[in-house]
Amino acid sequence: MRRPVPHAHHSQPSSVVMNPVFVRPGEASEFPTFQLPAGESLPETARQIVHDEAMLDGNARLNLATFVGTWMEDEANRLYLEAADKNLVDKDEYPHTAAIEERCWRMVADLWNAPDPARAIGTSTIGSSEAAMLGGLALKRRWQHARRATGKPVDRPNLVMSSAVQVCWEKFCNYFEVEARYVPISDEHPVLDGHDLASYIDEFTIGVVAIMGVTYTGMYEPVTAIAAALDDVQAATGLDVQIHVDGASGAMIAPFLQPDLEWDFRVARVASINTSGHKYGLVYPGLGWVVWRDTDALPEDLVFRVSYLGGEMPTLALNFSRPGAQVLLQYYQFLRLGRDGYTRVQGACRDVAMYLSSRIGAMDAFELWNDGSDIPVFAWRQRAGHTSNWTLHHLSDRLRARGWLVPAYPMPDNLSDITVQRVVVRNGLSRDLAELFLKDLQAEVSYLDSLTSPMPEPPATSSFRH
Ligand SMILES: *Cc1c(COP(=O)(O)O)cnc(C)c1O
C-alpha cells in the first residue's frame, strides 16, 4: 500500500499536471508531488517540468537581500559544466583540482597577510557556515588541549560574540555544545567593539568572534579594538584569548577597498579567518574558505590524512563528497580578475551602495543606519515620528510585488524594538538597475504616505534568515 502524503505540504498541489503540448502519446501527464512516480518519463518531459517549476522562483537580479553570487561569465559557465562531475574529496582521481584548491587558499592566506605563508593552513568548504564550524572547533580543541595539559576541567566551554552574529554561530554552539555568550549591541555600541568585553570572558572562553561585515547592517567590527580589549584581559588575568574573524563577506572586500585597515593576520590575536567564496569571492553558491595563521592554531588531531597518488593529503571538513567545480571557478576568478579586477568590481559595488544610501537617506521617511562604506551593504530605519500608518514591513511587501526583495527585520538584542531594512549591493546591481529600484521605492513610499489610515498588518513577513 502507498503511504499517505504527509499533511505538512498542503500548501503545494498533490500532483504536477503536464501541459498537453509537451506530452507524448502513452506518456504520463500527471506526476505525484510527494511520491516517486511509478514509471519513467522522457528527458524532455522531466526537464520541462523542472524548468517550469523553477521559473516561478524570484529573479535573482532583483534580489537585494542575498549576499550570494548569481552571475558568472560565459567562460566560467563553460568551466562549471565541464567540471560538474568532479568530487573534491577524490584527491586521487582529481589531483589537479586538489592542487588548485591549495593554490586558492594560499592566495587567500596571502591576501589576509598571513605572516608566514608557508606555515599557514587552510581549506575550502561548502560555505562560511562549514568554515565557521571548523574555526570554532579548532578554538575549542586548542582550549581543551591547553586545559588538559594543566589538569584543568574542559567542561562548559563558551564562545563570546556580538548578539548580531550570523545564525551559523548559534548553530556551532548548539551542535558542538559550547555556551554562546552574546554581547548585546546598543545605540552607543552598534557593533562588538571591545566595550565591556572583559566581563564576558573567563577561563572557559575558547575564543571571541569578530565579524567583518555584520549581516544585519554590513558594518565592520573593529578587530584591533577587540584585540586591545583582550590584551587588557590577558594583562589582568593571564587568559590568552584568540579571535576568529567571520569575514563571510568583508574578507573579500577589505583587502581591496580598505587595504590599510588592520583586521586580518596583521592582528596578532587573529587565529583564523573564514570567507564565503560564493559571496564577494564572486563564485556561484557552494564555496567557502577558512585559513589558520599557522599550524599551531589548528590542532593536529582535527586533521585527517587521506592518501593520494601514493602521497598523503591532509583534510579537514565536515562533509566527505563535495562539488569540486566551485573551487575551479574560484581559481578562474582569481586568474581572471587579479587584485586590480577585484578592486574594480568591489569598488563599483561600493559606489552603487553609497549612491543608493545617499538617496535613501535623503528621503523624508528614512534615517540611515549606515552608508555602505564598509562592505557595500547598508540599512535604514523609518524616521521617528514619520508616520504610524505604515512600517518597513509594509514597504518590503509592496516592493516584493514589484519583484524586489528588500527584507525588513528587527535588529538583534538589545535593539530588537528597532526595525531596519537592508540592501546588499552585489556585482550585477548596476547603477541603471539601482535607478529603477529607487524609482520603485519612491513610488511605493509616496503611495504609503498618501494613506489616511493605518495599513492592516502585513501578511507573515518573509522567511528571511540572517
Ligand atoms: C553569510 C554569512 C555567513 C554564512 O555564510 P554561508 O556561506 O551562507 O554559509 C556567516 N557569517 C556572516 C557574517 C555572513 O554574512
Side-chain angles (χ1 to χ4, degrees), residues 67-68 125-132 164-169 171 210-216 246-250 274-279 286-288 375 422 466:
F67 286 80
V68 174
T125 60
I126 199 78
S128 275
S129 299
E130 187 191 8
V165 284
Q166 210 265 356
V167 66
C168 71
W169 292 104
K171 283 188 185 171
I211 316 168
M212 283 296 283
V214 174
T215 323
Y216 289 82
D246 179 356
S249 48
N274 70 270
T275 198
S276 296
H278 55 219
K279 290 185 177 175
L287 185 66
I375 61 172
R422 184 193 71 187
H466 301 285

Side-chain angles (χ1 to χ4, degrees), residues 414-428:
N414 285 343
L415 298 176
S416 54
D417 53 337
I418 298 175
T419 295
V420 299
Q421 194 160 19
R422 184 193 71 187
V423 160
V424 175
V425 177
R426 287 177 292 123
N427 186 24

Side-chain angles (χ1 to χ4, degrees), residues 72 75-88 94-105 107 124-125 277 281-284 286-289 322-336 342:
M72 292 189 79
E75 287 74 9
N77 292 338
R78 268 175 27 222
L79 267 178
Y80 200 173
L81 264 181
E82 284 165 24
D85 60 343
K86 285 190 200 286
N87 184 355
L88 192 66
Y94 307 117
H96 294 289
T97 299
I100 285 172
E101 182 196 15
E102 177 174 351
R103 280 182 218 172
C104 286
W105 66 251
M107 286 184 191
S124 72
T125 60
L282 305 176
V283 173
Y284 289 129
L287 185 66
W289 299 101
R322 198 148 61 69
Q326 272 77 353
V327 167
L328 300 183
L329 291 180
Q330 183 75 82
Y331 190 49
Y332 169 84
Q333 288 292 43
F334 285 170
L335 296 178
R336 164 82 175 91
Y342 268 99

